[in-house]
Amino acid sequence: EALCVLLHLICSLLAHRKYAQLFVDHGGIQLLLDLPNSKHSGALSTGISMCFFCMSSIPEALEQLCNLPCEVCHRIVGQALQYIGSGIDPARKNSSLFLAETLKYQSMLESFDRHNGMRLILNLLRATQRFETPRSEAVLAYHLFYVLRSYFRTNLNITVSNILSPKESASKSMSAKSVKAMDTSSEASKAVLAKVKCDRTISLWFACESWAPALSFANLGGISLLLYFAHPDRISNYHSETVLSLLEIAHLVTLCQGFHPTVQSIRTGNAEGPNIVDVLLAAAERYNSLGAEVSIGALQVIANFVCAPEALQDLTTRLDSQSCCSAGGENQDLSQAIVRAMAKTYEHSRKLVRSSGGIKTLLGLLRNRCHDVQHSDTMSLLSCQALLGLAQDSSIAQVLSKLQLGHLLSEMLRDPNIDKGYETATRSCGTYSNFTQQFRRAALDLIAIVTGSGQFAKNITTSDATTSVLQKIERAAVVAATEITYPKKELLRVIFDHLVASNLSETAATLSREANFVEGQDGSKTEFKNLLQFENRHSSLNRIYPKNQNARKLSFNTKVAKPAIKDKEENSENSNSKARAKRHSDPTTCPDNISKERAKRPKTTSTIGKEKDKPIKSKLDSIIVEHLRHQHCDCQAPISVLPPFSLFEPHVCPTARLERDLGRHGAGNVAWRMLKRESNGHPFGGYRRLDEKLNRRFVHSRFRHLRTCRDETSYTSCTFLGNSQQLAVSTGSGEIRILDTMSGDIMEYCDTQAHTSTIHSLKTWQPSGRSHCLLLSSSRDQVILWDSQEMKREVSFQHIRDASFNSYGTRIVAPVSDPLFAEVCIFDLGGGRSNPVQTLEDSIQSEALQSGASSCWNDQPAFFGHDDRMVLWGSTLWDLRMSTPVHRFDRFSECGTSRFHPNGLEVVLNSEVWDLRTYRLLRSVPSLDGTQFMFNHCGDIVYSWYTDAAGTVNEEAYSSSALSTPRRHRGVQTAFKTLDSRDYTDIATFNIERVILDMAISPEDGLLAAIAIDSLGTGGDQCSARVYEIGRRRLPDSEEAEDEDDDEDDDEDDDEEDAESEIEYEDEDEDEEEDEEEEEEEEEDDDDE
């Protein structure tokens, strides 16, 4: 006990710098190491560790301690590791902090390696996973990762200094080993990392060699420990600080590209658990607002995976570089094999990040703005750099080009705060202009890749990227996709004219002879006149050109008459007969001899012909192609498929004829279009398609309220039955009622005991030529099939939800109701059995759901494809011939609806439209973002609306708390939109001033039904069914009557409403009859005159 008291007294005195230095000089450290173990080992260990920790807080004393003989340093490190492995928490804490400070010296670092310190610390981290209290685990993990971070920082400084000056480091290895401590502060580490990525020599070394600390860390299983402690669900004290340390360790380990496959192959838990990319993306999303530093650390590791170092970016794009590997020579490059290995590594990493949803996460962090401006800017910079690395993959670049990323980046470049960074000198944490320059460079490079002008990225300025962004990006994408070709003969003709102008007549003559130029050909123009003149009144025949290539060799100025043609034919026949006789008489031209000579010749003629057909690639060809591409960029409306460009005439893309002649043909007037259709039947197909488009926009931009159907209960969903005379609605109590569409009366009640919970989906299948149809009602965990003619329950399916018919009405597809399993079941309706005939499972999604992940896509219904061979559920696509998914589309949001397009060639996921044949992103439709949408029965119109559940309707949407939200907070949720399904352009937005829960369209696309919430903010909120006529405008005189109608009490008599409506209709009929009589009288007066 006296010894423990003495140690505590020494700890108090060691707080003074002078005493601490005298303690080390007079052998106090050796005395501490020689203290024997006693029964009070716990208190003794705590006292000795406290002394070590107090000396580490004074830099001068710590420097003297680390400059002691190697044997003493070896004993000090061994004693500290022994205390870390003990079960005494204060000794562990003090020894960890002491060891983290002493590892800044090279002598202590070597002693740590000789004691296998990394193995001991990793074993202790594995042991913490079995602790009973999470606080003890978190505290110990925090201190152990703090030691490892200091270890990797010191090793990185030593490695970088050895690479930059190997000879000097080798000569002074003994003298400069442990004199001064390494600067391992955060600012110094950032400077070293910047040097690693910008210096070519250091980057080459890390690309070629294996870093020893990273190799031992990976071999000892440190990556799995990083995944365990970095998981966002492990929230406890010290967790965010622990995650910061381990993310920095992962950042340093992934500096070597050779470790990327090893790091990415390790998963947590079982073989199908989340990998390091999944954990990093989850951490970046989880901490983006509360712990922005954690998100920054995760983004740094992701950037290492997908981005090559700045000094080696030119090598990763050029795989044909001839080089050799050397660690110390700046003028030598990597070998071709190593460059290919790097490219393959980055390609695998980019695919892994994409499959884990990295594009969605990076886009969200790019536009994220948290409370700390500096952290927001850093996250934007790292997200932009990571997206730039992903864009090196052509498929990912194509997806980014459709997401309007260039527009977002240009708006961020226009931010006045960024420009202000050049003027304002610094911020609290460093030079802000450095961030501005890096972000501008990364944003401009990304815009260049997205717009297709990657090779001209250095020539793009900020003004080019920010002026007319949308039009410029679309035109640049079309120009980049255009294949530039030109007649090779014209290029030779240009060279010939240049040689003639330069007085090089002999060279020009040689070129003319080898190129087979035709005499009398006009080099300035390449037009060909018709050789045969026909007298015809039709102007279309005057534009016929000869297809015979021999006719083009004639002189353009020669006029050929019919007798001349006849004489020429006779002369040609005589000459041909003489030539045949000569060939038979000459032994060298005999057919037998010719065949023998051909057999003796080397077979080189075919290869020569093939070489002539190959495209010519030269410096002159690249200059011509670049010149023609710049001409193509100047076109107002460039197109991607063009004939060969002409070198003698300036290139201009043709303008759209339909838009140009729109006013002249009167297509903007619906009456004129109807009259023209009856008169001439559309002689030109282009105008017919234009008229159909304008007619669709005219019809689906007009809606007139027809009737509101109310009851004592709230409706949840609706669908039309038969010939649109009946409307089926469901209630929150699980009932189905059949309403008359015209009168709103209840015609029939279905089985009230069918569903025990809220029905949130009604689907119908209407066979052609029949009046009755099949009806599907879906609740939370049950689906029932009804016969609409007798309204009897036929089959009940349990443990599924949100079922949908196929195109023939013989099968239904529905996901299982268990939220922990991603399975889709297919049922056959022919046999009337309730067991599925096929089950489709997504094992990856099931693992994610069971691990605690949640997504709104799991609440979506499943749909059959156009040919009933494909099934889509959320972002997963199945082929019924396979049990596993054939493709998973990228998700850029966690809400929305997914459906097949009626044309059978596209898939719409939220606001993204994907090509079903190539799985390429075609376009992004902002009007569909976060909405629930459906197609009409013709498939040419899209109806979209917002719901409270972000695209899904459940029981919570009908609760009192959801209905009591004031109307002013709903915004656009009180309206629905119509879009053209061919080009996804907005047609109209119709505001009904009520929150929409469900919509349905009649089979002939003439009526629209909407389930809406009435009288928000009052105590008795109910959901009614509102029916609208499509294509008819709301009458101005009936607006006030309609509003008064909707504000009436629920107990008002419906007969009075019908009577009032009949009186209104009678008044309208009388007015129409009076107008017709007046028109007839006026016509009679005109005839009399």
Side-chain angles (χ1 to χ4, degrees):
E1 294 179 358
L3 185 58
C4 295
V5 174
L6 179 61
L7 289 176
H8 282 285
L9 178 61
I10 293 174
C11 292
S12 302
L13 295 174
L14 286 175
H16 303 277
R17 179 175 57 85
K18 189 64 176 177
Y19 182 84
Q21 292 178 350
L22 292 175
F23 185 81
V24 177
D25 290 339
H26 289 79
I29 300 299
Q30 289 85 345
L31 294 177
L32 290 177
L33 296 175
D34 294 338
L35 288 177
N37 294 329
S38 62
K39 60 181 180 180
H40 302 287
S41 59
L44 184 64
S45 301
T46 303
I48 297 174
S49 62
M50 278 292 295
C51 294
F52 286 156
F53 172 69
C54 292
M55 283 184 291
S56 65
S57 60
I58 301 176
E60 293 82 0
L62 183 62
E63 183 177 343
Q64 294 179 2
L65 183 148
C66 294
N67 287 328
L68 293 174
C70 296
E71 295 78 7
V72 179
C73 295
H74 188 70
R75 291 183 60 189
I76 293 173
V77 175
Q79 192 76 11
L81 290 175
Q82 182 180 357
Y83 290 154
I84 291 176
S86 65
I88 306 169
D89 291 339
R92 284 175 172 175
K93 176 183 176 181
N94 298 330
S95 301
S96 300
L97 296 177
F98 166 74
L99 196 59
E101 294 295 329
T102 56
L103 287 179
K104 299 177 182 179
Y105 294 86
Q106 189 173 356
S107 59
M108 307 298 287
L109 188 68
E110 293 178 356
S111 300
F112 183 82
D113 290 334
R114 282 184 299 190
H115 280 285
N116 291 328
M118 182 181 292
R119 181 188 296 274
L120 175 63
I121 290 179
L122 293 179
N123 290 335
L124 288 175
L125 286 172
R126 292 189 183 92
T128 58
Q129 301 178 10
R130 296 187 294 270
F131 283 6
E132 296 180 359
T133 59
R135 176 172 175 79
S136 301
E137 173 190 351
V139 172
L140 181 58
Y142 166 72
H143 291 103
L144 294 180
F145 277 114
Y146 184 72
V147 174
L148 288 178
R149 183 180 68 175
S150 179
Y151 174 79
F152 277 99
R153 283 182 177 181
T154 307
N155 274 290
L156 181 64
N157 287 337
I158 296 174
T159 305
V160 170
S161 61
N162 292 337
I163 293 173
L164 293 178
S165 55
K167 296 181 179 180
E168 184 179 355
S169 299
S171 61
K172 299 182 180 180
S173 59
M174 298 301 299
S175 60
K177 180 180 295 185
S178 58
V179 176
K180 294 292 182 180
M182 296 283 183
D183 188 2
T184 59
S185 60
S186 299
E187 291 76 11
S189 300
K190 291 179 181 178
V192 174
L193 287 173
K195 187 182 297 184
V196 170
K197 296 180 180 180
C198 298
D199 190 275
R200 191 177 184 85
T201 303
I202 303 176
S203 300
L204 288 175
W205 190 92
F206 277 97
C208 299
E209 303 294 335
S210 296
W211 193 27
L215 181 61
S216 60
F217 183 79
N219 293 335
L220 293 174
I223 306 299
S224 59
L225 291 174
L226 293 182
L227 297 180
Y228 175 79
F229 286 98
H231 202 278
D233 293 335
R234 301 188 57 79
I235 301 297
S236 60
N237 294 333
Y238 292 91
H239 183 72
S240 59
E241 292 80 1
T242 305
V243 173
L244 285 175
S245 299
L246 63 89
L247 287 179
E248 185 174 350
I249 295 172
H251 186 200
L252 298 179
V253 170
T254 53
L255 290 176
C256 296
Q257 290 83 12
F259 292 124
H260 289 184
T262 304
V263 172
Q264 295 166 1
S265 62
I266 299 176
R267 295 178 178 269
T268 58
N270 50 18
E272 296 183 355
N275 54 22
I276 188 171
V277 176
D278 298 329
V279 174
L280 291 173
L281 293 175
E285 285 183 322
R286 187 72 170 268
Y287 293 99
N288 59 355
S289 58
L290 300 178
E293 295 180 353
V294 178
S295 298
I296 292 174
L299 288 175
Q300 288 175 345
V301 183
I302 295 174
N304 277 355
F305 283 145
V306 299
C307 299
E310 185 177 353
L312 301 180
Q313 287 182 357
D314 56 339
L315 295 180
T316 56
T317 55
R318 291 184 322 215
L319 300 181
D320 54 349
S321 58
Q322 300 294 332
S323 54
C324 59
C325 179
S326 177
E330 285 187 353
N331 298 326
Q332 295 179 347
D333 296 333
L334 292 175
S335 64
Q336 187 176 4
I338 295 180
V339 172
R340 291 185 180 276
M342 289 178 57
K344 186 177 180 180
T345 299
Y346 286 116
E347 181 182 0
H348 173 72
S349 301
R350 288 159 186 160
K351 292 181 179 179
L352 183 61
V353 172
R354 180 184 182 182
S355 62
S356 300
I359 299 178
K360 175 182 69 69
T361 303
L362 293 175
L363 288 175
L365 294 176
L366 179 64
R367 59 176 68 96
N368 175 67
R369 310 303 296 176
C370 62
H371 63 279
D372 193 337
V373 180
Q374 179 190 357
H375 289 158
S376 296
D377 295 341
T378 307
M379 282 191 291
S380 299
L381 172 61
L382 293 173
S383 301
C384 186
Q385 291 177 349
L387 288 173
L388 179 60
L390 290 175
Q392 305 300 325
D393 191 341
S394 58
S395 60
I396 300 179
Q398 190 272 334
V399 171
L400 294 177
S401 64
K402 303 297 182 180
L403 295 178
Q404 299 182 357
L405 182 59
H407 176 66
L408 174 62
L409 291 174
S410 63
E411 293 296 332
M412 297 179 69
L413 289 175
R414 285 181 176 181
D415 189 359
N417 295 328
I418 295 181
D419 295 331
K420 192 177 179 181
Y422 284 104
E423 301 174 2
T424 58
T426 57
R427 282 192 174 183
S428 60
C429 293
T431 303
Y432 186 56
S433 60
N434 185 22
F435 155 76
T436 306
Q437 295 175 2
Q438 293 180 1
F439 182 77
R440 285 181 182 275
R441 183 169 61 252
L444 292 176
D445 291 343
L446 185 56
I447 289 176
I449 294 177
V450 169
T451 55
S453 56
Q455 56 182 346
F456 307 109
K458 297 182 180 180
N459 301 328
I460 293 181
T461 61
T462 306
S463 59
D464 295 335
T466 57
T467 304
S468 303
V469 180
L470 294 178
Q471 297 179 0
K472 199 163 196 175
I473 289 176
E474 291 178 359
R475 288 188 301 178
V478 174
V479 171
T482 305
E483 183 180 0
I484 305 298
T485 59
Y486 60 90
K488 306 301 180 183
K489 209 81 168 180
E490 292 187 3
L491 179 57
L492 297 177
R493 186 69 186 185
V494 171
I495 299 174
F496 174 80
D497 294 341
H498 179 73
L499 294 175
V500 172
S502 302
N503 296 326
L504 300 175
S505 57
E506 295 182 359
T507 307
T510 304
L511 176 61
S512 177
R513 183 174 60 258
E514 293 183 356
N516 296 326
F517 285 157
V518 179
E519 296 182 0
Q521 182 177 357
D522 186 7
S524 61
K525 295 182 179 181
T526 57
E527 61 180 4
F528 304 100
K529 296 182 179 179
N530 191 9
L531 300 180
L532 301 179
Q533 301 293 334
F534 295 93
E535 295 182 359
N536 200 309
R537 299 178 180 178
H538 298 282
S539 60
S540 59
L541 296 179
N542 294 333
R543 296 194 296 269
I544 297 178
Y545 302 120
K547 295 184 179 180
N548 189 5
Q549 298 295 333
N550 297 326
R552 295 188 177 186
K553 295 184 179 180
L554 299 176
S555 176
F556 296 143
N557 300 325
T558 305
K559 295 182 179 179
V560 183
K562 294 182 180 179
I565 295 175
K566 184 177 181 181
D567 296 340
K568 186 175 180 180
E569 292 177 355
E570 293 177 357
N571 295 332
S572 62
E573 290 178 359
N574 295 332
S575 60
N576 291 338
S577 60
K578 292 181 181 180
R580 285 195 297 269
K582 183 178 180 180
R583 284 198 300 268
H584 285 287
S585 61
D586 190 356
T588 59
T589 58
C590 183
D592 297 335
N593 297 331
I594 290 175
S595 60
K596 294 179 182 179
E597 291 292 333
R598 288 179 179 176
K600 296 179 181 179
R601 292 176 187 173
K603 298 180 179 180
T604 58
T605 58
S606 60
T607 59
I608 294 175
K610 292 181 180 179
E611 291 179 357
K612 290 183 179 180
D613 295 337
K614 291 182 179 179
I616 302 173
K617 297 297 181 181
S618 62
K619 184 65 176 179
L620 179 60
D621 177 75
S622 62
I623 293 174
I624 297 297
V625 170
E626 182 178 355
H627 169 68
L628 296 176
R629 192 177 295 277
H630 281 300
Q631 285 188 358
H632 194 33
C633 288
D634 296 335
C635 298
Q636 294 297 327
I639 55 180
S640 59
V641 180
L642 288 173
F645 289 65
S646 176
L647 300 181
F648 299 119
E649 296 180 357
H651 166 71
V652 177
C653 288
T655 58
R657 183 180 177 186
L658 296 179
E659 296 180 359
R660 182 183 61 195
D661 299 340
L662 180 61
R664 185 177 65 183
H665 288 270
N669 189 291
V670 62
W672 177 258
R673 293 197 300 269
M674 296 295 103
L675 181 62
K676 184 175 60 175
R677 184 176 64 178
E678 296 178 358
S679 59
N680 53 18
H682 294 280
F684 301 104
Y687 292 113
R688 178 177 58 83
R689 289 190 295 269
L690 177 62
D691 290 350
E692 292 177 354
K693 177 179 179 180
L694 296 176
N695 291 339
R696 288 195 303 271
R697 299 181 68 88
F698 177 83
V699 171
H700 294 278
S701 62
R702 289 159 171 80
F703 299 92
R704 190 176 75 172
H705 179 261
L706 180 62
R707 180 160 300 281
T708 300
C709 303
R710 293 190 182 92
D711 201 351
E712 67 276 2
T713 60
S714 294
Y715 299 145
T716 58
S717 60
C718 62
T719 186
F720 284 95
L721 300 178
N723 54 0
S724 305
Q725 298 297 325
Q726 298 176 353
L727 180 67
V729 295
S730 60
T731 63
S733 58
E735 300 178 358
I736 300 178
R737 302 182 181 184
I738 309 301
L739 307 179
D740 191 333
T741 306
M742 296 295 108
S743 63
D745 298 334
I746 300 177
M747 301 177 59
E748 188 175 354
Y749 289 90
C750 297
D751 188 0
T752 58
Q753 304 297 328
H755 289 278
T756 58
S757 60
T758 302
I759 300 175
H760 53 76
S761 176
L762 290 177
K763 302 284 181 64
T764 56
W765 177 77
Q766 179 72 37
S768 59
R770 298 181 184 179
S771 59
H772 68 281
C773 60
L774 298 178
L775 175 65
L776 274 179
S777 60
S778 303
S779 62
R780 182 176 52 193
D781 56 353
Q782 185 184 17
V783 175
I784 298 178
L785 177 66
W786 305 80
D787 186 357
S788 63
Q789 188 173 7
E790 300 179 359
M791 289 311 299
K792 292 183 179 180
R793 180 171 53 179
E794 293 188 352
V795 186
S796 178
F797 306 95
Q798 302 296 330
H799 307 298
I800 60 172
R801 55 177 177 82
D802 297 329
S804 300
F805 287 103
N806 64 346
S807 57
Y808 296 100
T810 57
R811 287 188 171 189
I812 62 171
V813 58
V816 296
S817 57
D818 192 345
L820 298 180
F821 293 93
E823 295 181 358
V824 176
C825 300
I826 298 176
F827 298 87
D828 192 354
L829 303 180
R833 296 177 298 177
S834 59
N835 297 326
V837 296
Q838 188 176 1
T839 302
L840 307 174
E841 182 180 3
D842 188 356
S843 58
I844 298 178
Q845 186 67 15
S846 298
E847 290 288 340
L849 293 175
Q850 294 174 8
S851 63
S854 61
S855 175
C856 293
W857 289 106
N858 300 325
D859 298 330
Q860 297 296 324
F863 296 96
F864 280 103
H866 184 263
D867 53 357
D868 296 337
R869 296 181 180 179
M870 312 287 284
V871 170
L872 178 67
W873 181 48
S875 60
T876 308
L877 181 68
W878 279 280
D879 191 331
L880 295 183
R881 295 169 293 184
M882 303 174 62
S883 59
T884 57
V886 295
H887 186 72
R888 293 181 180 87
F889 295 97
D890 295 329
R891 295 180 297 182
F892 305 114
S893 65
E894 291 297 334
C895 59
T897 311
S898 60
R899 289 178 183 269
F900 285 102
H901 195 283
N903 60 13
L905 303 178
E906 299 173 358
V907 171
V908 184
L909 272 70
N910 191 29
S911 59
E912 287 74 38
V913 183
W914 298 85
D915 192 338
L916 194 56
R917 297 164 294 183
T918 61
Y919 304 131
R920 293 167 61 92
L921 182 61
L922 299 178
R923 68 180 74 224
S924 179
V925 187
S927 299
L928 298 179
D929 188 14
T931 64
Q932 190 174 6
F933 61 88
M934 64 178 179
F935 294 89
N936 64 343
H937 293 274
C938 294
D940 52 4
I941 299 297
V942 182
Y943 288 82
S944 67
W945 68 95
Y946 289 90
T947 58
D948 287 344
T952 59
V953 180
N954 50 26
E955 287 84 350
E956 297 178 357
Y958 311 102
S959 62
S960 59
S961 60
L963 299 179
S964 62
T965 306
R967 184 181 303 180
R968 61 178 179 271
H969 297 297
R970 300 279 177 167
V972 294
Q973 293 186 357
T974 61
F976 65 87
K977 286 185 177 182
T978 55
L979 296 87
D980 194 334
S981 65
R982 300 190 179 184
D983 54 4
Y984 297 95
T985 56
D986 291 349
I987 296 178
T989 301
F990 192 77
N991 193 357
I992 66 173
E993 298 295 335
R994 289 159 181 82
V995 177
I996 303 174
L997 299 181
D998 192 19
M999 294 183 69
I1001 304 176
S1002 61
E1004 67 276 4
D1005 296 335
L1007 296 177
L1008 174 69
I1011 302 296
I1013 302 176
D1014 292 334
S1015 61
L1016 291 175
T1018 62
D1021 295 329
Q1022 290 186 349
C1023 301
S1024 61
R1026 302 173 62 86
V1027 182
Y1028 295 88
E1029 290 182 288
I1030 302 176
R1032 302 191 66 178
R1033 190 185 296 274
R1034 184 169 54 182
L1035 298 177
D1037 298 337
S1038 63
E1039 291 182 359
E1040 298 180 358
E1042 179 185 344
D1043 295 337
E1044 293 176 358
D1045 237 6
D1046 298 333
D1047 295 336
E1048 290 176 353
D1049 297 331
D1050 294 336
D1051 56 355
E1052 187 177 356
D1053 191 8
D1054 294 337
D1055 297 336
E1056 295 180 2
E1057 296 181 2
D1058 297 338
E1060 291 177 1
S1061 60
E1062 290 177 1
I1063 293 174
E1064 292 178 358
Y1065 291 143
E1066 290 177 358
D1067 294 340
E1068 292 178 0
D1069 296 338
E1070 292 177 358
D1071 294 339
E1072 292 177 359
E1073 292 177 359
E1074 292 178 359
D1075 294 339
E1076 292 177 358
E1077 291 178 358
E1078 291 178 359
E1079 292 178 358
E1080 291 177 359
E1081 292 177 358
E1082 291 178 358
E1083 291 178 358
E1084 292 177 359
D1085 294 339
D1086 295 339
D1087 295 339
D1088 296 339
E1089 291 178 359

